[in-house]
Structures are given as structure tokens and as C-alpha cells.
């Protein structure tokens, strides 16, 4: 049996009041791979030139947006509907975070189910008459003393969670800025260079602690995860100091043979 194709959620803007916010919502959607928008009874009619101006490069989301007279029509083909609201209501509904909501949406979307996400008008948000069409409520854990979110911000939060959970981007990556990590041999040679010069300067004192001091220095070099450029810079810094003090045979920009830096 063939695996069902992932179906992305549809974003439903209920009675939006400002074209700029509709455009901002479109940009937020496309930033994270969503392009299906439906608009219920927009206050200023449709199309809206202010929405297109704000959408910038995301105009194609608006070009294909569906216009509906009511919420029931906008979600009629949806198998599961989330409604976003920060206020408590007198309806019995499961309340989930954006993270959990989009995890559920991905699970259901992978099964070929159609998901809708309702966003209310800027001034008052969704009403109970809108919420009866939803299976679950999405509430963002914001400051309880100031829980009002702009429409575009609300869409961005949900769209980000959708995109993040479907991304293969690692949590952390080192930007190498046109260089590469130093090899273990290069780090070893850097340690040799500094250890030799520190020995000459009498750094490893008293003798009873010398071995531990050397060990700590070696551990420090390996822990730093140095790039080749950084290793070269550290060699150059030490050569410059010694050259200025008249202790180095080579000028600071010289090229000593491998294993004999400084």
C-alpha cells in the first residue's frame, strides 16, 4: 500500500480587518513552506492592494487564496481544525501548544488528512461561534498580562513550528568562514610550540606541578576546536612576541619547517 502524501495545513484568516496583516500572514506562511490560505469575510473586501504590497514576494499565496462567507464553508473539507486563541472560553476543548499542534498536524497530514488552522480578527479574536468548528485550541504561552498578538505574528509562530519540525537542519553547526577545522596533528604542533616557549620562560613551576600544567594546556588546546586559520594566528602571535623580544631566529611572517614553528 502506497504511503499517503503529506498534506500541508491550510491557514484560515477569519474576518481579518487590515490588508497589511493579511499580507504579513502570507509572508510568514511562505517563509516556512505553507502556501494554502483561506480568508473568511475580509472587512475591506477582496482583493486588497495593501495585502499585496505587504506580502512582497509572497504574493502567490494571496493570488490563490480562497474567499469564503463563513467559517463553516472555509473548513468544510477539513478532517481536523485547530483554532488559535489566548482567551479562555466556555467550551470544552483540548488546549495544546503550537509545538504540539504542529506535531499533531504533521502526523495527521502524513496520513492524508486535511488540517485547518483558524486565526481570528485583530480586534477581538475568534468568537465561540467560530470555535465550535474546531477540534482543539492552540494557545501560545505568552505573558498573561499582555497576551495580544498581531495576526501576522500569530501565523508566524504556527508556521515556524510547522517548518521547524519538518526541517533536517541540525540544532547547531559551526560556520567555518572559508576555512576548515585544524587536524589533530596541527593542534599537537601548536601545543608543542607553546610548551617549548613556556618551558624556556620558566612557566612550568614548581617542578612538582609541571606535568599537571602541561596536561591542562594540552586539554585546553583540544577543547577549543580550533580552525586552521586560528592555529596559524596563534603561532604567529607567539612568533611576533618572541621576535620583538629578540628571542626568535625567524621573522614573524617567516615559514619555519614543519614541527619547528617559532
Amino acid at each position: 500500500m502506497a504511503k499517503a502524501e503529506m498534506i500541508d495545513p491550510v491557514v484560515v484568516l477569519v474576518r481579518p480587518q487590515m490588508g497589511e496583516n493579511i499580507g504579513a500572514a502570507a509572508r510568514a506562511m511562505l517563509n516556512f513552506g505553507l502556501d494554502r490560505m483561506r480568508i473568511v469575510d475580509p472587512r475591506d473586501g477582496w482583493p486588497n492592494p495593501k495585502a499585496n504590497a505587504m506580502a512582497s514576494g509572497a504574493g502567490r499565496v494571496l493570488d490563490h487564496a480562497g474567499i469564503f462567507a463563513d467559517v463553516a464553508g472555509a473548513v468544510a473539507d477539513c478532517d481536523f481544525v485547530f483554532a488559535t486563541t489566548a482567551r479562555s472560553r466556555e467550551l470544552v476543548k483540548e488546549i495544546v501548544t503550537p509545538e504540539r499542534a504542529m506535531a499533531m498536524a504533521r502526523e495527521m497530514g502524513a496520513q492524508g488528512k486535511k488540517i485547518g488552522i483558524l486565526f481570528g480578527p485583530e480586534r477581538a479574536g475568534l468568537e465561540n461561534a467560530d470555535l465550535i468548528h474546531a477540534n482543539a485550541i492552540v494557545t501560545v504561552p505568552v505573558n498573561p498580562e499582555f497576551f495580544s498578538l498581531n495576526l501576522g505574528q500569530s501565523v508566524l509562530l504556527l508556521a515556524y513550528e510547522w517548518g521547524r519540525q519538518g526541517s533536517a537542519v541540525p540544532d547547531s553547526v559551526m560556520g567555518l568562514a572559508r576555512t576548515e577545522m585544524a587536524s589533530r596533528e596541527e593542534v599537537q604542533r601548536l601545543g608543542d610550540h607553546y610548551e617549548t616557549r613556556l618551558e624556556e620562560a620558566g612557566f612550568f613551576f614548581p617542578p612538582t606541578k609541571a606535568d599537571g600544567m602541561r596536561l591542562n594546556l594540552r586539554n585546553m588546546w583540544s577543547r577549543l576546536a580550533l580552525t586552521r586559520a586560528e592555529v596559524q594566528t596563534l603561532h604567529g602571535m607567539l612568533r611576533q612576541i618572541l621576535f620583538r623580544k629578540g628571542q626568535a631566529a625567524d621573522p614573524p611572517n617567516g615559514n619555519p619547517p614543519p614541527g619547528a614553528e617559532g
Side-chain angles (χ1 to χ4, degrees):
M1 184 177 178
K3 184 178 179 180
E5 182 179 353
M6 172 70 78
I7 299 179
D8 296 347
V10 59
V11 170
V12 183
L13 307 184
V14 180
R15 299 182 299 279
Q17 298 170 328
M18 298 178 62
E20 293 89 341
N21 286 336
I22 300 174
R27 292 181 67 171
M29 289 171 59
L30 201 55
N31 279 151
F32 298 102
L34 297 176
D35 58 7
R36 301 169 62 221
M37 174 184 283
R38 295 176 184 176
I39 306 173
V40 176
D41 190 23
R43 183 190 66 181
D44 297 334
W46 196 259
N48 187 315
K50 292 182 178 179
N52 281 281
M54 187 65 181
S56 186
R60 65 185 178 90
V61 175
L62 302 179
D63 292 342
H64 296 93
I67 307 300
F68 294 82
D70 53 39
V71 175
V75 299
D77 64 340
C78 293
D79 297 298
F80 195 98
V81 177
F82 293 99
T84 60
T85 179
R87 296 183 294 176
S88 60
R89 302 289 180 169
E90 297 178 356
L91 297 174
V92 178
K93 300 279 187 185
E94 181 182 10
I95 301 174
V96 296
T97 64
E99 181 179 14
R100 174 58 181 155
M102 293 302 95
M104 294 169 64
R106 283 198 167 275
E107 182 179 348
M108 289 184 283
Q111 297 171 4
K113 296 182 182 295
K114 297 180 180 179
I115 309 301
I117 310 172
L118 299 178
F119 294 88
E122 296 90 325
R123 181 166 304 207
L126 295 168
E127 302 296 335
N128 283 343
D130 304 317
L131 296 177
I132 62 172
H133 299 284
N135 300 90
I137 300 295
V138 183
T139 296
V140 178
V142 295
N143 180 0
E145 296 181 2
F146 188 72
F147 52 76
S148 177
L149 286 173
N150 174 273
L151 176 59
Q153 293 174 326
S154 297
V155 174
L156 179 66
L157 286 170
L158 272 293
Y160 165 76
E161 275 298 337
W162 171 263
R164 182 186 68 82
Q165 294 185 31
S167 172
V169 176
D171 291 336
S172 176
V173 62
M174 179 68 73
L176 291 177
R178 297 185 298 278
T179 186
E180 57 187 15
M181 300 305 296
S183 69
R184 302 316 303 163
E185 180 183 1
E186 288 167 328
V187 174
Q188 176 71 33
R189 288 165 54 192
L190 177 67
D192 292 344
H193 187 187
Y194 272 78
E195 192 170 309
T196 297
R197 295 309 185 183
L198 288 171
E199 181 72 49
E200 293 171 354
F203 177 77
F204 299 110
F205 183 86
T208 54
K209 295 184 178 180
D211 289 344
M213 295 170 71
R214 291 187 179 91
L215 184 64
N216 286 337
L217 279 173
R218 293 290 178 170
N219 184 58
M220 180 190 73
W221 294 124
S222 63
R223 194 177 71 248
L224 289 177
L226 297 166
T227 67
R228 282 187 162 177
E230 290 166 341
V231 166
Q232 292 168 3
T233 298
L234 288 165
H235 278 303
M237 288 165 58
L238 186 55
R239 286 197 298 268
Q240 178 69 24
I241 292 171
L242 295 173
F243 182 74
R244 294 290 292 179
K245 288 182 174 294
Q247 297 178 25
D250 299 308
N253 293 324
N255 296 298
E261 288 87 355

